[in-house]
Amino acid sequence: MNIVILGAGQVGSSVAESLVSEANEITIVDADTQRLARLQERLDLRTVAGNAALPSILERAGLADADLLIAVTQSDQTNLCACRTAATLFRTPTKIARLRSSDYTRYPQLLEPKNFAVDFSICPEQIVTDYIVKLMEFPEALQVLEFADGLVGLVAVRAIPGGSLVGRPVSDLREHIPHVDVRIAAIYRRDQAIVPDGDTLIEAGDEVFFLAATRDSRQIIGELRRRDRPTRRILIAGGGNIGERVALASEGRYQVKVIEVNEARAQYLGSTLKHSLVLAGDAADENLLDAEGIEDMDLFLALTNDDENNIMSALLAKRLGARRVLALINRRIYADLLQADRIDIAISPAQISIGSLLAHVRRGDVAAVHSLRRGAAEALELVVHGDIATCKVVGRRIEQLDLPHGVTVGAIVRGPEPGPGESDRRQVLIAHHDTMIESGDHVILFLISKELVPKVERYFQVGLGFF
């Protein structure tokens, strides 16, 4: 595809890096020439320096020939203006806009073709918030992702000594929980991917990814590690956009404290958050953390805009007795160094939100994409079309599929999607060797390397005879 990306910040850079590796033609626009130069040094893409809201700059970026516009600058107004310009002057087929303000979700008519002409909108801050809130519900998990409107869960958990399955083969899982169907999609051992079979032994320290009906996830986690006590007390370091959203989403269910270094911002949060205690101070202040009972905290969240501050405050909180710590870390090298060492969970906001964009770039009918292990792996929800004559997967059992090594079919969701007000009656089928794929199925796959994506997309596409 020919893709124009507006904004070379964390989100735009991560999207560009992901899409360039898939042989797309990428042009990225930003006013910061130094940022563009750094990107061009390491990625095979074209850059244009200038104001992304100006028609002349968009014309120089080649928007007239683009298949897709991804407007992810820091400014909602710039992103909206660019989408309107792309529709009016260049007839760009698909336009995606990053909208940080929640105001626009209240007035969706503003995004319609006759107005700002935004085909899809994303809010990375809200995506990260939802991700963190889901982790609060599963305190033992490293990642909790959902497919098929929440019917299927992909959960990553670190196996620890004492878990029922640790030191035993994968096949024993069925004996331990015979009434629960689950597929272990991948195991990462010392950062090396293993595609497991029934004889694969689970070792302490393994990062285990499994797919199951969401309702069964908690029971499966219990087989890999002793269950932690529920999350009750949360301390949030940083009351910025994400910190505020997480506090608002959490304060009705948990005891929440927020530490914000900026006094004016702390006062604003104090008036906005009705059931949270807001403190003006430095989250890396040992005395402050001690005074606020850090040793009693079930979860410490370092959510400032500064990687170094997040790392230092999370390390300090862990040393002072916080049971579990999570840090937002944008720089991949930092996250790789710290994950599973002294910080329990290191997450990249850009990598979490990138899946919402990739779902609109992938070929074929892609319902959901999740970028995993900081962009190295990927999970896809593909909708199957065609018939046995026009599609290589329809009417075939899992064992008959000619998928590349490293691709695991984890689950299938079957049945018509519910209409407004209807209950969801779709069936979740965990994939086994004899499971048959039908047209209309939502097939959920785990790919240990994102380099496998183009092969999988081609394999699931319908032939021209279908049309």
Side-chain angles (χ1 to χ4, degrees), residues 120-159:
F120 306 102
S121 65
I122 67 162
C123 177
E125 292 84 359
Q126 188 58 47
I127 294 169
V128 172
T129 298
D130 294 341
Y131 181 94
I132 293 171
V133 169
K134 183 61 65 175
L135 280 172
M136 293 179 189
E137 299 175 17
F138 296 88
E140 307 88 352
L142 298 171
Q143 281 188 296
V144 181
L145 306 169
E146 292 184 342
F147 295 93
D149 303 314
L151 287 179
V152 178
L154 172 64
V155 180
V157 62
R158 191 169 303 283

mmCIF file of all heavy atoms in Angstrom, residues 120-159:
data_model
loop_
_atom_site.group_PDB
_atom_site.id
_atom_site.type_symbol
_atom_site.label_atom_id
_atom_site.label_comp_id
_atom_site.label_asym_id
_atom_site.label_seq_id
_atom_site.Cartn_x
_atom_site.Cartn_y
_atom_site.Cartn_z
ATOM 1 N N PHE A 120 -12.011 6.247 10.246
ATOM 2 C CA PHE A 120 -11.793 5.564 11.522
ATOM 3 C C PHE A 120 -11.032 6.517 12.444
ATOM 4 O O PHE A 120 -10.120 7.204 12.005
ATOM 5 C CB PHE A 120 -10.975 4.273 11.343
ATOM 6 C CG PHE A 120 -11.549 3.334 10.328
ATOM 7 C CD1 PHE A 120 -11.002 3.254 9.055
ATOM 8 C CD2 PHE A 120 -12.641 2.531 10.629
ATOM 9 C CE1 PHE A 120 -11.525 2.401 8.104
ATOM 10 C CE2 PHE A 120 -13.170 1.673 9.684
ATOM 11 C CZ PHE A 120 -12.613 1.602 8.425
ATOM 12 N N SER A 121 -11.413 6.531 13.710
ATOM 13 C CA SER A 121 -10.681 7.354 14.681
ATOM 14 C C SER A 121 -10.146 6.455 15.783
ATOM 15 O O SER A 121 -10.748 5.443 16.143
ATOM 16 C CB SER A 121 -11.593 8.431 15.281
ATOM 17 O OG SER A 121 -12.640 7.848 16.039
ATOM 18 N N ILE A 122 -8.984 6.839 16.318
ATOM 19 C CA ILE A 122 -8.409 6.098 17.441
ATOM 20 C C ILE A 122 -7.959 7.091 18.507
ATOM 21 O O ILE A 122 -7.621 8.240 18.193
ATOM 22 C CB ILE A 122 -7.213 5.218 17.022
ATOM 23 C CG1 ILE A 122 -6.025 6.087 16.588
ATOM 24 C CG2 ILE A 122 -7.592 4.218 15.951
ATOM 25 C CD1 ILE A 122 -4.711 5.359 16.581
ATOM 26 N N CYS A 123 -7.985 6.645 19.748
ATOM 27 C CA CYS A 123 -7.457 7.425 20.858
ATOM 28 C C CYS A 123 -6.467 6.545 21.603
ATOM 29 O O CYS A 123 -6.867 5.706 22.427
ATOM 30 C CB CYS A 123 -8.578 7.881 21.794
ATOM 31 S SG CYS A 123 -7.967 8.769 23.242
ATOM 32 N N PRO A 124 -5.159 6.678 21.311
ATOM 33 C CA PRO A 124 -4.169 5.813 21.963
ATOM 34 C C PRO A 124 -4.244 5.856 23.481
ATOM 35 O O PRO A 124 -4.067 4.833 24.151
ATOM 36 C CB PRO A 124 -2.831 6.370 21.451
ATOM 37 C CG PRO A 124 -3.164 6.985 20.128
ATOM 38 C CD PRO A 124 -4.534 7.569 20.316
ATOM 39 N N GLU A 125 -4.514 7.044 24.038
ATOM 40 C CA GLU A 125 -4.579 7.153 25.501
ATOM 41 C C GLU A 125 -5.697 6.284 26.074
ATOM 42 O O GLU A 125 -5.521 5.641 27.117
ATOM 43 C CB GLU A 125 -4.780 8.612 25.913
ATOM 44 C CG GLU A 125 -3.589 9.508 25.626
ATOM 45 C CD GLU A 125 -3.543 10.032 24.198
ATOM 46 O OE1 GLU A 125 -4.441 9.687 23.409
ATOM 47 O OE2 GLU A 125 -2.613 10.776 23.859
ATOM 48 N N GLN A 126 -6.851 6.245 25.387
ATOM 49 C CA GLN A 126 -7.952 5.413 25.889
ATOM 50 C C GLN A 126 -7.657 3.928 25.684
ATOM 51 O O GLN A 126 -8.017 3.098 26.525
ATOM 52 C CB GLN A 126 -9.263 5.786 25.175
ATOM 53 C CG GLN A 126 -10.496 5.112 25.765
ATOM 54 C CD GLN A 126 -10.682 5.434 27.235
ATOM 55 O OE1 GLN A 126 -10.590 6.590 27.647
ATOM 56 N NE2 GLN A 126 -10.930 4.410 28.045
ATOM 57 N N ILE A 127 -6.980 3.586 24.594
ATOM 58 C CA ILE A 127 -6.609 2.193 24.349
ATOM 59 C C ILE A 127 -5.666 1.699 25.438
ATOM 60 O O ILE A 127 -5.828 0.595 25.976
ATOM 61 C CB ILE A 127 -5.962 2.046 22.952
ATOM 62 C CG1 ILE A 127 -6.991 2.342 21.858
ATOM 63 C CG2 ILE A 127 -5.379 0.638 22.774
ATOM 64 C CD1 ILE A 127 -6.397 2.475 20.473
ATOM 65 N N VAL A 128 -4.687 2.536 25.807
ATOM 66 C CA VAL A 128 -3.745 2.165 26.872
ATOM 67 C C VAL A 128 -4.476 2.060 28.207
ATOM 68 O O VAL A 128 -4.226 1.142 29.001
ATOM 69 C CB VAL A 128 -2.594 3.194 26.962
ATOM 70 C CG1 VAL A 128 -1.724 2.918 28.179
ATOM 71 C CG2 VAL A 128 -1.753 3.146 25.695
ATOM 72 N N THR A 129 -5.411 2.970 28.451
ATOM 73 C CA THR A 129 -6.194 2.923 29.693
ATOM 74 C C THR A 129 -6.973 1.616 29.798
ATOM 75 O O THR A 129 -6.948 0.944 30.839
ATOM 76 C CB THR A 129 -7.167 4.118 29.752
ATOM 77 O OG1 THR A 129 -6.419 5.336 29.768
ATOM 78 C CG2 THR A 129 -8.043 4.049 30.993
ATOM 79 N N ASP A 130 -7.661 1.236 28.733
ATOM 80 C CA ASP A 130 -8.433 -0.007 28.739
ATOM 81 C C ASP A 130 -7.520 -1.210 28.979
ATOM 82 O O ASP A 130 -7.891 -2.164 29.679
ATOM 83 C CB ASP A 130 -9.179 -0.177 27.411
ATOM 84 C CG ASP A 130 -10.251 0.892 27.206
ATOM 85 O OD1 ASP A 130 -10.661 1.517 28.210
ATOM 86 O OD2 ASP A 130 -10.660 1.104 26.057
ATOM 87 N N TYR A 131 -6.339 -1.170 28.399
ATOM 88 C CA TYR A 131 -5.363 -2.245 28.551
ATOM 89 C C TYR A 131 -4.934 -2.388 30.015
ATOM 90 O O TYR A 131 -4.888 -3.496 30.563
ATOM 91 C CB TYR A 131 -4.164 -1.920 27.657
ATOM 92 C CG TYR A 131 -3.044 -2.929 27.645
ATOM 93 C CD1 TYR A 131 -2.993 -3.917 26.674
ATOM 94 C CD2 TYR A 131 -2.009 -2.871 28.583
ATOM 95 C CE1 TYR A 131 -1.943 -4.829 26.633
ATOM 96 C CE2 TYR A 131 -0.967 -3.780 28.548
ATOM 97 C CZ TYR A 131 -0.947 -4.754 27.577
ATOM 98 O OH TYR A 131 0.089 -5.658 27.540
ATOM 99 N N ILE A 132 -4.640 -1.264 30.652
ATOM 100 C CA ILE A 132 -4.199 -1.293 32.049
ATOM 101 C C ILE A 132 -5.323 -1.742 32.966
ATOM 102 O O ILE A 132 -5.116 -2.535 33.892
ATOM 103 C CB ILE A 132 -3.668 0.095 32.461
ATOM 104 C CG1 ILE A 132 -2.376 0.416 31.702
ATOM 105 C CG2 ILE A 132 -3.415 0.157 33.970
ATOM 106 C CD1 ILE A 132 -1.889 1.841 31.886
ATOM 107 N N VAL A 133 -6.532 -1.257 32.726
ATOM 108 C CA VAL A 133 -7.679 -1.638 33.557
ATOM 109 C C VAL A 133 -7.929 -3.143 33.472
ATOM 110 O O VAL A 133 -8.257 -3.790 34.479
ATOM 111 C CB VAL A 133 -8.931 -0.837 33.137
ATOM 112 C CG1 VAL A 133 -10.180 -1.393 33.793
ATOM 113 C CG2 VAL A 133 -8.758 0.644 33.493
ATOM 114 N N LYS A 134 -7.741 -3.716 32.285
ATOM 115 C CA LYS A 134 -7.919 -5.170 32.136
ATOM 116 C C LYS A 134 -6.858 -5.928 32.940
ATOM 117 O O LYS A 134 -7.152 -6.972 33.550
ATOM 118 C CB LYS A 134 -7.851 -5.543 30.656
ATOM 119 C CG LYS A 134 -8.087 -7.016 30.359
ATOM 120 C CD LYS A 134 -9.459 -7.494 30.799
ATOM 121 C CE LYS A 134 -10.577 -6.842 30.039
ATOM 122 N NZ LYS A 134 -11.892 -7.421 30.419
ATOM 123 N N LEU A 135 -5.631 -5.414 32.965
ATOM 124 C CA LEU A 135 -4.574 -6.052 33.757
ATOM 125 C C LEU A 135 -4.891 -6.023 35.252
ATOM 126 O O LEU A 135 -4.491 -6.916 36.000
ATOM 127 C CB LEU A 135 -3.237 -5.360 33.505
ATOM 128 C CG LEU A 135 -2.492 -5.747 32.229
ATOM 129 C CD1 LEU A 135 -1.291 -4.839 32.024
ATOM 130 C CD2 LEU A 135 -2.049 -7.199 32.270
ATOM 131 N N MET A 136 -5.599 -5.003 35.703
ATOM 132 C CA MET A 136 -5.979 -4.936 37.113
ATOM 133 C C MET A 136 -6.887 -6.110 37.503
ATOM 134 O O MET A 136 -6.835 -6.601 38.627
ATOM 135 C CB MET A 136 -6.705 -3.622 37.402
ATOM 136 C CG MET A 136 -5.855 -2.385 37.283
ATOM 137 S SD MET A 136 -6.844 -0.915 37.617
ATOM 138 C CE MET A 136 -5.696 0.370 37.142
ATOM 139 N N GLU A 137 -7.711 -6.560 36.572
ATOM 140 C CA GLU A 137 -8.632 -7.660 36.852
ATOM 141 C C GLU A 137 -7.906 -8.998 36.936
ATOM 142 O O GLU A 137 -8.403 -9.938 37.547
ATOM 143 C CB GLU A 137 -9.714 -7.720 35.760
ATOM 144 C CG GLU A 137 -10.576 -6.464 35.668
ATOM 145 C CD GLU A 137 -11.530 -6.528 34.496
ATOM 146 O OE1 GLU A 137 -11.762 -7.644 33.964
ATOM 147 O OE2 GLU A 137 -12.041 -5.461 34.086
ATOM 148 N N PHE A 138 -6.732 -9.081 36.281
ATOM 149 C CA PHE A 138 -5.947 -10.320 36.278
ATOM 150 C C PHE A 138 -4.547 -10.000 36.800
ATOM 151 O O PHE A 138 -3.599 -9.860 36.020
ATOM 152 C CB PHE A 138 -5.864 -10.903 34.868
ATOM 153 C CG PHE A 138 -7.176 -11.341 34.307
ATOM 154 C CD1 PHE A 138 -7.990 -10.458 33.618
ATOM 155 C CD2 PHE A 138 -7.627 -12.644 34.474
ATOM 156 C CE1 PHE A 138 -9.204 -10.859 33.093
ATOM 157 C CE2 PHE A 138 -8.842 -13.056 33.963
ATOM 158 C CZ PHE A 138 -9.637 -12.160 33.270
ATOM 159 N N PRO A 139 -4.394 -9.871 38.119
ATOM 160 C CA PRO A 139 -3.102 -9.418 38.667
ATOM 161 C C PRO A 139 -1.941 -10.367 38.388
ATOM 162 O O PRO A 139 -0.785 -9.973 38.519
ATOM 163 C CB PRO A 139 -3.380 -9.305 40.165
ATOM 164 C CG PRO A 139 -4.587 -10.156 40.418
ATOM 165 C CD PRO A 139 -5.395 -10.080 39.168
ATOM 166 N N GLU A 140 -2.222 -11.607 37.989
ATOM 167 C CA GLU A 140 -1.141 -12.560 37.702
ATOM 168 C C GLU A 140 -0.636 -12.442 36.267
ATOM 169 O O GLU A 140 0.391 -13.022 35.917
ATOM 170 C CB GLU A 140 -1.615 -14.000 37.924
ATOM 171 C CG GLU A 140 -2.240 -14.272 39.290
ATOM 172 C CD GLU A 140 -3.736 -13.993 39.325
ATOM 173 O OE1 GLU A 140 -4.278 -13.444 38.346
ATOM 174 O OE2 GLU A 140 -4.366 -14.330 40.341
ATOM 175 N N ALA A 141 -1.363 -11.732 35.393
ATOM 176 C CA ALA A 141 -1.078 -11.755 33.959
ATOM 177 C C ALA A 141 -0.093 -10.664 33.547
ATOM 178 O O ALA A 141 0.004 -9.609 34.168
ATOM 179 C CB ALA A 141 -2.370 -11.598 33.168
ATOM 180 N N LEU A 142 0.646 -10.946 32.457
ATOM 181 C CA LEU A 142 1.522 -9.964 31.824
ATOM 182 C C LEU A 142 0.787 -9.195 30.740
ATOM 183 O O LEU A 142 1.070 -8.030 30.489
ATOM 184 C CB LEU A 142 2.744 -10.658 31.207
ATOM 185 C CG LEU A 142 3.665 -11.410 32.161
ATOM 186 C CD1 LEU A 142 4.687 -12.213 31.371
ATOM 187 C CD2 LEU A 142 4.351 -10.448 33.108
ATOM 188 N N GLN A 143 -0.119 -9.871 30.045
ATOM 189 C CA GLN A 143 -0.948 -9.248 29.020
ATOM 190 C C GLN A 143 -2.313 -9.905 29.048
ATOM 191 O O GLN A 143 -2.431 -11.114 29.277
ATOM 192 C CB GLN A 143 -0.353 -9.421 27.616
ATOM 193 C CG GLN A 143 0.786 -8.478 27.286
ATOM 194 C CD GLN A 143 1.190 -8.583 25.817
ATOM 195 O OE1 GLN A 143 1.658 -9.614 25.367
ATOM 196 N NE2 GLN A 143 1.024 -7.506 25.072
ATOM 197 N N VAL A 144 -3.351 -9.093 28.792
ATOM 198 C CA VAL A 144 -4.710 -9.615 28.653
ATOM 199 C C VAL A 144 -5.325 -8.901 27.455
ATOM 200 O O VAL A 144 -5.539 -7.686 27.485
ATOM 201 C CB VAL A 144 -5.568 -9.371 29.906
ATOM 202 C CG1 VAL A 144 -6.958 -9.961 29.711
ATOM 203 C CG2 VAL A 144 -4.920 -9.969 31.146
ATOM 204 N N LEU A 145 -5.572 -9.643 26.390
ATOM 205 C CA LEU A 145 -6.110 -9.076 25.158
ATOM 206 C C LEU A 145 -7.393 -9.798 24.782
ATOM 207 O O LEU A 145 -7.574 -10.975 25.118
ATOM 208 C CB LEU A 145 -5.088 -9.192 24.031
ATOM 209 C CG LEU A 145 -3.707 -8.597 24.341
ATOM 210 C CD1 LEU A 145 -2.707 -9.009 23.278
ATOM 211 C CD2 LEU A 145 -3.789 -7.082 24.431
ATOM 212 N N GLU A 146 -8.269 -9.103 24.076
ATOM 213 C CA GLU A 146 -9.575 -9.688 23.757
ATOM 214 C C GLU A 146 -9.816 -9.712 22.259
ATOM 215 O O GLU A 146 -9.340 -8.857 21.512
ATOM 216 C CB GLU A 146 -10.688 -8.900 24.449
ATOM 217 C CG GLU A 146 -10.672 -9.033 25.968
ATOM 218 C CD GLU A 146 -11.844 -8.321 26.624
ATOM 219 O OE1 GLU A 146 -12.462 -7.450 25.963
ATOM 220 O OE2 GLU A 146 -12.173 -8.652 27.777
ATOM 221 N N PHE A 147 -10.556 -10.741 21.838
ATOM 222 C CA PHE A 147 -10.998 -10.889 20.452
ATOM 223 C C PHE A 147 -12.502 -11.153 20.438
ATOM 224 O O PHE A 147 -13.082 -11.541 21.458
ATOM 225 C CB PHE A 147 -10.272 -12.060 19.780
ATOM 226 C CG PHE A 147 -8.792 -11.857 19.621
ATOM 227 C CD1 PHE A 147 -7.904 -12.304 20.582
ATOM 228 C CD2 PHE A 147 -8.282 -11.192 18.522
ATOM 229 C CE1 PHE A 147 -6.544 -12.122 20.445
ATOM 230 C CE2 PHE A 147 -6.917 -10.991 18.366
ATOM 231 C CZ PHE A 147 -6.047 -11.466 19.339
ATOM 232 N N ALA A 148 -13.091 -10.975 19.259
ATOM 233 C CA ALA A 148 -14.514 -11.275 19.055
ATOM 234 C C ALA A 148 -15.375 -10.600 20.122
ATOM 235 O O ALA A 148 -16.197 -11.235 20.789
ATOM 236 C CB ALA A 148 -14.752 -12.785 19.042
ATOM 237 N N ASP A 149 -15.169 -9.286 20.265
ATOM 238 C CA ASP A 149 -15.962 -8.487 21.212
ATOM 239 C C ASP A 149 -15.896 -9.026 22.628
ATOM 240 O O ASP A 149 -16.876 -8.966 23.378
ATOM 241 C CB ASP A 149 -17.427 -8.419 20.748
ATOM 242 C CG ASP A 149 -17.568 -7.857 19.338
ATOM 243 O OD1 ASP A 149 -16.922 -6.834 19.047
ATOM 244 O OD2 ASP A 149 -18.299 -8.455 18.529
ATOM 245 N N GLY A 150 -14.729 -9.568 23.009
ATOM 246 C CA GLY A 150 -14.535 -10.012 24.378
ATOM 247 C C GLY A 150 -14.865 -11.462 24.648
ATOM 248 O O GLY A 150 -14.683 -11.937 25.774
ATOM 249 N N LEU A 151 -15.304 -12.206 23.631
ATOM 250 C CA LEU A 151 -15.639 -13.624 23.851
ATOM 251 C C LEU A 151 -14.390 -14.471 24.082
ATOM 252 O O LEU A 151 -14.416 -15.449 24.835
ATOM 253 C CB LEU A 151 -16.414 -14.186 22.655
ATOM 254 C CG LEU A 151 -17.865 -13.731 22.486
ATOM 255 C CD1 LEU A 151 -18.457 -14.362 21.229
ATOM 256 C CD2 LEU A 151 -18.697 -14.088 23.698
ATOM 257 N N VAL A 152 -13.290 -14.124 23.413
ATOM 258 C CA VAL A 152 -12.048 -14.896 23.494
ATOM 259 C C VAL A 152 -10.951 -14.026 24.103
ATOM 260 O O VAL A 152 -10.814 -12.847 23.754
ATOM 261 C CB VAL A 152 -11.605 -15.389 22.099
ATOM 262 C CG1 VAL A 152 -10.284 -16.142 22.181
ATOM 263 C CG2 VAL A 152 -12.680 -16.263 21.481
ATOM 264 N N GLY A 153 -10.186 -14.608 25.017
ATOM 265 C CA GLY A 153 -9.082 -13.887 25.632
ATOM 266 C C GLY A 153 -7.744 -14.507 25.268
ATOM 267 O O GLY A 153 -7.608 -15.731 25.225
ATOM 268 N N LEU A 154 -6.770 -13.658 24.965
ATOM 269 C CA LEU A 154 -5.382 -14.089 24.809
ATOM 270 C C LEU A 154 -4.638 -13.564 26.021
ATOM 271 O O LEU A 154 -4.554 -12.345 26.235
ATOM 272 C CB LEU A 154 -4.775 -13.529 23.521
ATOM 273 C CG LEU A 154 -3.266 -13.761 23.328
ATOM 274 C CD1 LEU A 154 -2.953 -15.246 23.222
ATOM 275 C CD2 LEU A 154 -2.752 -13.019 22.100
ATOM 276 N N VAL A 155 -4.122 -14.454 26.836
ATOM 277 C CA VAL A 155 -3.500 -14.074 28.099
ATOM 278 C C VAL A 155 -2.047 -14.552 28.108
ATOM 279 O O VAL A 155 -1.763 -15.688 27.721
ATOM 280 C CB VAL A 155 -4.263 -14.680 29.297
ATOM 281 C CG1 VAL A 155 -3.603 -14.284 30.614
ATOM 282 C CG2 VAL A 155 -5.720 -14.226 29.290
ATOM 283 N N ALA A 156 -1.148 -13.675 28.540
ATOM 284 C CA ALA A 156 0.248 -14.044 28.749
ATOM 285 C C ALA A 156 0.502 -14.070 30.243
ATOM 286 O O ALA A 156 0.152 -13.131 30.956
ATOM 287 C CB ALA A 156 1.183 -13.048 28.071
ATOM 288 N N VAL A 157 1.104 -15.146 30.719
ATOM 289 C CA VAL A 157 1.386 -15.285 32.150
ATOM 290 C C VAL A 157 2.752 -15.935 32.308
ATOM 291 O O VAL A 157 3.143 -16.780 31.499
ATOM 292 C CB VAL A 157 0.271 -16.109 32.841
ATOM 293 C CG1 VAL A 157 0.194 -17.509 32.293
ATOM 294 C CG2 VAL A 157 0.447 -16.125 34.343
ATOM 295 N N ARG A 158 3.480 -15.519 33.350
ATOM 296 C CA ARG A 158 4.787 -16.116 33.605
ATOM 297 C C ARG A 158 4.622 -17.277 34.563
ATOM 298 O O ARG A 158 4.103 -17.119 35.673
ATOM 299 C CB ARG A 158 5.763 -15.088 34.181
ATOM 300 C CG ARG A 158 7.204 -15.606 34.201
ATOM 301 C CD ARG A 158 8.172 -14.496 34.525
ATOM 302 N NE ARG A 158 8.082 -13.386 33.606
ATOM 303 C CZ ARG A 158 8.589 -13.373 32.370
ATOM 304 N NH1 ARG A 158 9.213 -14.445 31.904
ATOM 305 N NH2 ARG A 158 8.468 -12.305 31.606
ATOM 306 N N ALA A 159 5.028 -18.468 34.129
ATOM 307 C CA ALA A 159 4.933 -19.658 34.973
ATOM 308 C C ALA A 159 5.948 -19.555 36.108
ATOM 309 O O ALA A 159 7.099 -19.182 35.882
ATOM 310 C CB ALA A 159 5.198 -20.908 34.141
#
